[in-house]
Amino acid sequence: MHAPDGVYVDGTFGRGGHSRALLARLSPKGRLVAIDRDVQAIEAATVGEARVSDPRFSIHHTSFAHLRDTLAEQGVSRIDGLLLDLGVSSPQIDDPQRGFSFRFDGPLDMRMDTTRGESAAEFLARADERHITEVIRDYGEERFALQIAKALVARRESGNPVRTTGELSKLVAGAVKTREAGQDPATRTFQALRIFVNAELEELEQGLNVAMDLLAPGARLVVISFHSLEDRIVKTFIARESKSEIDRRAPFAPEKPHRLKSIARIKPSEGEVRANPRARSAIMRVAERTDVGGDGMTRLNVLLLLVLLVSSVYLVKVAHESRRLYADLDKARTDERLLDSEFERLKSEKQSQATPLRVEKTARDKLAMHTATPAVTQYVTYARAASAAPATPTPGAR
C-alpha cells in the first residue's frame, strides 16, 4: 500500500477477508469502498457480529463494471488502489441453494446477484442446441460441448428439463466420453454456465477499462483470477496499456504514453495451496498506474503539439495563398490570350485598309467628298441658208 491516507476499492467483497486486511493497513485518514453483486455479501458486511463497523469503510450492492457511478455518488473521482478477486467465492460454492457446485444437489441457479437476471436452469430451458454448444465450448473450453448440448435438448424435449445441479452433473457424466484425471467431468460445464449467466468476462473487461480512468498516478491494480479465460483478459489488458502507441493517422503527433507498468505475476506457494486447495489455480497480477494520465501529456508532448498546430496553420495559409496566386496567374493568361486575339484582329484590319481603293474611300469619308456628277455638253449646229443672210443657230446633237 503506497498511500495509507488514500482511497482504495475492494471490487469483490465476498466475506471481507481482503477488506479487513486493507483496513488494517490504512491510516485513520484513509478510506475503503467495497462493492459486491451478491446480496448475501452485502448482508454479511452490514448485519451480525461479522459486520464491518469501521467508519472508513462503506459497501455498495453493484458490480465493478459500474464502479465509476458508485464512486461518483460518494464524491470520489480518483482512487489509489483497486483489488479484484474474480470468480465465485467459497460461501457461494458451499451453499447448495446457490447452485454453483456439483458436489451438492440444489436448484440450478448460479446467479451471483439473485435479485436480477436469468438462472442457469431458465437458460437451458429456452436455448437451442447451437447456443448451448457455444456457451459450453467457449466459456468452459469443453471438447464434448456438442454431445452435452444434444443430451440437454433431448431431455428437455422429453418433458423433463434439467432443473438441479445433481441432474446436470449426472447428464454431463453420461455425455462426456473421457475424463481428465483428478477432475469431475461436469467441472467445465458448470464453469461455462456460471460465466455466461453472470456475464463475468464482459463485466471484467468493462471494469478494467473503467479502472484506467479512476486510478491516480502511482495507484496499484491487483487482479486475482482462477482460470485461463479471466487471466488472458487481464494479461492482455495490462500488456496493451503498458506499451506506448503511435497514431498512424498522424505520424508527426507524439506517441500516446503507456498508462500502466506491469509489476508482478504471483502464484500461490505450496504452503498456501495446502492451506487452501481452491487457490491452486490462482494467478495474481499487479500493475501500477503511470504518472501520465489517460488524457494528460508531458511538457514535451505539449510543446510538440503546439509546433504541430502552428505548422498546420502555416501550411493552410500557404495553401490558401498558392490557390490565390494560381487564380491570378490563370486570369493573366486569359487576358494575354484576349490581347493577342485583339492584336491579330487589328493587324488584319490594318492590312485590309492599305489598298488604294480603301485609302480613297477612307479619305472621301473623312473629307466628306462627293463623287462629281458628269457634265452636260451642249452642241450647236449651224445651218447655211441659200441666201447670203447669216444663218440662225439651231440646237441639236453632234
Side-chain angles (χ1 to χ4, degrees), residues 293-316:
D295 54 353
M297 290 186 177
T298 60
R299 292 183 179 179
L300 177 59
N301 287 344
V302 172
L303 179 60
L304 291 175
L305 180 59
L306 290 175
V307 171
L308 179 64
L309 290 174
V310 172
S311 300
S312 299
V313 172
Y314 176 74
L315 290 175
V316 170

Side-chain angles (χ1 to χ4, degrees), residues 252-267:
F252 297 104
E255 292 184 359
K256 179 183 177 182
H258 61 275
R259 303 193 293 173
L260 282 180
K261 180 175 66 175
S262 181
I263 300 296
R265 174 185 178 274
I266 303 173
K267 300 191 71 174

Side-chain angles (χ1 to χ4, degrees), residues 63 73 101 127 150 185 201 208 234 243 249 265 305 310 338 397:
S63 68
E73 293 172 357
S101 176
K150 287 181 178 294
L201 302 185
L208 292 173
V234 179
K243 296 178 181 178
R249 297 169 299 180
R265 174 185 178 274
L305 180 59
V310 172
L338 292 175

Side-chain angles (χ1 to χ4, degrees), residues 207-235:
L208 292 173
N209 289 323
V210 169
M212 293 308 303
D213 296 330
L214 296 172
L215 293 170
R220 295 292 175 88
L221 172 66
V222 180
V223 185
I224 303 173
S225 56
F226 288 86
H227 60 77
S228 59
L229 295 178
E230 293 173 337
D231 184 60
R232 189 178 303 130
I233 292 174
V234 179
K235 176 184 177 181

Side-chain angles (χ1 to χ4, degrees), residues 79-261:
I79 59 177
D80 297 286
L82 171 63
L83 170 64
L84 301 177
D85 188 357
L86 306 176
V88 63
S89 66
S90 292
Q92 291 171 331
I93 294 176
D94 296 336
D95 184 355
Q97 297 302 312
R98 303 300 300 272
F100 287 107
S101 176
F102 45 77
R103 294 188 297 111
F104 313 104
D105 191 21
L108 190 60
D109 193 318
M110 293 193 183
R111 290 176 298 168
M112 292 183 178
D113 185 354
T114 55
T115 64
R116 66 187 70 186
E118 183 180 52
S119 69
E122 291 170 339
F123 166 69
L124 294 177
R126 67 159 179 84
D128 58 23
E129 180 183 299
R130 186 180 67 174
H131 194 184
I132 296 174
T133 300
E134 291 174 351
V135 168
I136 298 176
R137 181 195 63 208
D138 297 343
Y139 296 131
E141 299 177 303
E142 174 60 72
R143 292 180 298 163
F144 302 102
L146 178 59
Q147 291 85 337
I148 296 171
K150 287 181 178 294
L152 285 166
V153 172
R155 174 164 177 156
R156 183 179 68 195
E157 292 178 347
S158 70
N160 186 25
V162 170
R163 294 187 177 89
T164 68
T165 55
E167 292 173 350
L168 177 60
S169 179
K170 184 177 179 180
L171 182 143
V172 173
V176 173
K177 298 179 181 179
T178 60
R179 303 188 179 189
E180 299 179 52
Q183 187 178 84
D184 189 284
T187 300
R188 294 181 179 275
T189 300
F190 271 70
Q191 171 187 297
L193 290 174
R194 188 203 81 220
I195 292 174
F196 172 76
V197 166
N198 295 287
E200 293 180 29
L201 302 185
E202 293 80 6
E203 288 275 340
L204 175 58
E205 291 177 343
Q206 294 175 29
L208 292 173
N209 289 323
V210 169
M212 293 308 303
D213 296 330
L214 296 172
L215 293 170
R220 295 292 175 88
L221 172 66
V222 180
V223 185
I224 303 173
S225 56
F226 288 86
H227 60 77
S228 59
L229 295 178
E230 293 173 337
D231 184 60
R232 189 178 303 130
I233 292 174
V234 179
K235 176 184 177 181
T236 302
F237 178 81
I238 293 177
R240 183 179 71 243
E241 296 296 338
S242 298
K243 296 178 181 178
S244 299
E245 296 181 5
I246 298 176
D247 189 350
R248 298 185 182 277
R249 297 169 299 180
F252 297 104
E255 292 184 359
K256 179 183 177 182
H258 61 275
R259 303 193 293 173
L260 282 180
K261 180 175 66 175

